[in-house]
Amino acid sequence: MKKFSLILMSLMLLFSFALAACSTEGDTTEPSDEPSEETPGTEAPSDEVVELTFQNIPNTGLDVLVKQYESENPNVTINYQEVEFNDHHNGLVTALAAGSGIPDIAFVEIGFLETFKGDEGNFTNLYDLGAKDVTGDYLDWKIKQSENADGSFLFGLPTDIGPMAMAYRTDIFEAAGLPTEPDEVSALITNWDEFLEVGKTVAEKTGKPMTDSGGTIYDTMVGQLTEVYFDENNELLLESNAGVKEAYDRATAMVEAGITAKVGQWSPEWNAGINDGGFATLMAPAWMMNYMKSTAPDGSGNWNIAQMPVASGNWGGSFLTIPAASEHPEEAYAFIEWLLSVDNQYEIFKETGNFPSTPGIYDKPEMQDWTDEYFQGAPVGKIYAEAALKVVPVYFGPNHTTVNTAVKDAINNVENNDADAQAEWDAAIERVSRELR
């Protein structure tokens, strides 16, 4: 799921955020542990024979336990359906608007979640179904992503996550006279100033760019902030958030220093760069490992993984939600609570490698001892578990994509059209002001 999420994050949000009509601004409801009277969540699952429709996307690994649940709960049948990522989310938007064809359980990727948060009435508040009892099993920042602004409404339970680390080519580092062991590389590059300086060394000694694009570096840096373009009242921060401007200045400085390959993510040139060593580093969430192995097999044995500069970040991850139209919310909740439990996320991890959102798993031997030969036998389980615990929640807001597109276009113009960085920043601010008017 995650493998695709990124590609789509931008594309879909483009469409989806346009549908986000209202926000939670002004809702002063205090968080409560008590079920609300108007929702049906106060009732325990019955023994009534029910069929639950579960709409998912391919390759999540969530299907592997459906049959087990049915055998342990003979009164429940799961009508399991898989739809490709874009079609699934766009179809869910359409179904919710039309009030028909809505599943009992719907997969929602993080990029779409902010859009769906615009109308709480379309979903069941999982806190009304008892989710307060299990939120402690999940990473705090992941639960926060799924809550509304005041924390009183939980949209979904978390599936997997995308904690980030820095993949790097040891052959390029070695040719540049740099250390190649993960601990040494982590110590060499602890912040973005050091990343830039190492990038200059790599470019000088090998002729290779340090990273794929300025846009990637910008996304990574703003992902390490707690606020990006909006505060939790959805007030625009583009001009006032010093962290955003700093990320823009650093990203364009790297472009101007000539240490970016100027290739866009998911392009054939990007895949070739991963495969053939077209650039020295790649900011990689856990799920990226499978993507690299499938699209860049010749890179095997040349990549290793170290911690990212400054901190970690998160890219991707998803939730299981229960639309308000479900006629069986208690039974649907019982199923997803079971499916996404600590024990079952561990089983899914062992089966698929999808990185769990339940930190209680991280110390298990299978996680700590998980290595990958593509990355020279690096202890990727230990590295990504450590990265997951460093992630801080980031608030995006329903118009995040509108602003992000303007800023990323500015960086792209600097990178590919030799435009002036400050002039492009000023133009992005004007564009955002016009589009959000």
Side-chain angles (χ1 to χ4, degrees):
M1 83 191 97
K2 355 113 140 278
K3 305 118 197 190
F4 308 111
S5 46
L6 11 160
I7 308 179
L8 317 157
M9 202 156 183
S10 321
L11 293 176
M12 10 177 148
L13 289 182
L14 216 80
F15 161 51
S16 52
F17 276 137
L19 300 175
C22 42
S23 73
T24 55
E25 183 177 6
D27 182 354
T28 56
T29 306
E30 291 296 325
S32 170
D33 292 336
E34 298 298 325
S36 66
E37 295 179 357
E38 60 271 17
T39 60
T42 55
E43 300 176 7
S46 71
D47 292 329
E48 174 191 1
V49 176
V50 299
E51 178 178 288
L52 301 175
T53 301
F54 175 15
Q55 286 187 359
N56 194 19
I57 67 167
N59 303 315
T60 63
L62 298 176
D63 57 312
V64 298
L65 297 174
V66 166
K67 292 300 180 187
Q68 179 182 338
Y69 188 80
E70 289 178 323
S71 67
E72 294 176 1
N73 298 271
N75 63 314
V76 178
T77 299
I78 309 291
N79 178 8
Y80 180 76
Q81 303 172 355
E82 285 188 356
V83 184
E84 291 298 331
F85 189 92
N86 270 339
D87 291 342
H88 164 72
H89 286 97
N90 292 334
L92 183 59
V93 170
T94 301
L96 292 172
S100 64
I102 303 172
D104 296 286
I105 300 158
F107 170 96
V108 174
E109 201 268 347
I110 180 63
F112 265 99
L113 187 62
E114 288 295 331
T115 297
F116 289 127
K117 282 182 174 181
D119 194 346
E120 291 179 3
N122 281 331
F123 293 89
T124 301
N125 183 358
L126 300 192
Y127 282 146
D128 289 339
L129 297 173
K132 285 282 185 186
D133 294 337
V134 299
T135 51
D137 292 340
Y138 301 95
L139 290 159
D140 290 343
W141 59 267
K142 195 65 181 173
I143 290 297
K144 193 170 179 60
Q145 282 183 335
S146 186
E147 290 180 328
N148 66 353
D150 67 14
S152 65
F153 194 104
L154 187 72
F155 287 83
L157 289 182
T159 60
D160 63 316
I161 58 173
M164 296 183 68
M166 183 178 75
Y168 63 98
R169 294 279 302 210
T170 56
D171 52 344
I172 297 177
F173 269 55
E174 184 175 12
L178 298 168
T180 57
E181 292 299 317
D183 289 345
E184 295 175 317
V185 173
S186 295
L188 178 69
I189 307 174
T190 62
N191 57 52
W192 294 110
D193 286 335
E194 292 170 351
F195 184 87
L196 174 59
E197 293 307 312
V198 170
K200 291 177 179 176
T201 299
V202 167
E204 178 185 352
K205 301 291 186 183
T206 71
K208 298 278 189 178
M210 181 68 166
T211 188
D212 52 356
S213 71
T216 295
I217 294 302
Y218 174 79
D219 281 337
T220 303
M221 285 192 278
V222 296
Q224 294 175 330
L225 304 174
T226 55
E227 289 181 327
V228 185
Y229 304 128
F230 297 92
D231 63 19
E232 293 193 352
N233 293 316
N234 292 325
E235 294 294 327
L236 183 63
L237 305 174
L238 179 57
E239 292 184 82
S240 61
N241 189 338
V244 170
K245 185 58 163 63
E246 180 181 346
Y248 178 86
D249 289 342
R250 288 186 181 279
T252 52
M254 291 182 194
V255 169
E256 291 168 347
I259 69 164
T260 67
K262 303 181 180 182
V263 294
Q265 292 169 341
W266 322 117
S267 65
E269 294 80 10
W270 191 68
N271 291 338
I274 297 173
N275 196 58
D276 304 332
F279 37 85
T281 67
L282 180 66
M283 301 304 155
W287 49 260
M288 186 70 81
M289 292 189 293
N290 283 338
Y291 181 86
M292 295 171 71
K293 286 187 278 189
S294 63
T295 60
D298 293 343
S300 180
N302 288 315
W303 288 96
N304 207 318
I305 294 185
Q307 296 295 336
M308 282 205 318
V310 180
S312 182
N314 181 71
W315 187 356
S318 308
F319 301 85
L320 293 186
T321 66
I322 301 174
S326 172
E327 295 180 357
H328 307 291
E330 294 85 7
E331 289 81 2
Y333 177 75
F335 170 64
I336 67 171
E337 182 187 288
W338 175 86
L339 181 64
L340 301 177
S341 66
V342 174
D343 289 343
N344 282 336
Q345 288 218 25
Y346 189 41
E347 293 303 313
I348 294 168
F349 158 71
K350 288 192 291 185
E351 182 75 19
T352 67
N354 290 349
F355 206 83
S357 55
T358 48
I361 295 172
Y362 297 168
D363 289 333
K364 287 185 176 290
E366 287 86 348
M367 178 68 78
Q368 290 292 309
D369 296 339
W370 176 26
T371 60
D372 195 310
E373 290 307 311
Y374 185 94
F375 299 96
Q376 304 178 12
V380 294
K382 184 177 182 178
I383 290 170
Y384 278 109
E386 182 179 341
L389 296 175
K390 293 179 180 177
V391 176
V392 294
V394 183
Y395 182 74
F396 293 107
N399 288 310
H400 176 88
T401 298
T402 299
V403 183
N404 197 53
T405 299
V407 177
K408 294 287 290 294
D409 284 351
I411 296 171
N412 184 59
N413 285 336
V414 174
E415 187 162 45
N416 294 298
N417 299 319
D418 295 324
D420 178 76
Q422 184 59 49
E424 287 296 319
W425 171 258
D426 294 340
I429 289 175
E430 290 183 11
R431 174 179 167 184
V432 169
S433 176
R434 184 171 61 250
E435 294 186 2
L436 295 184
R437 189 172 300 156

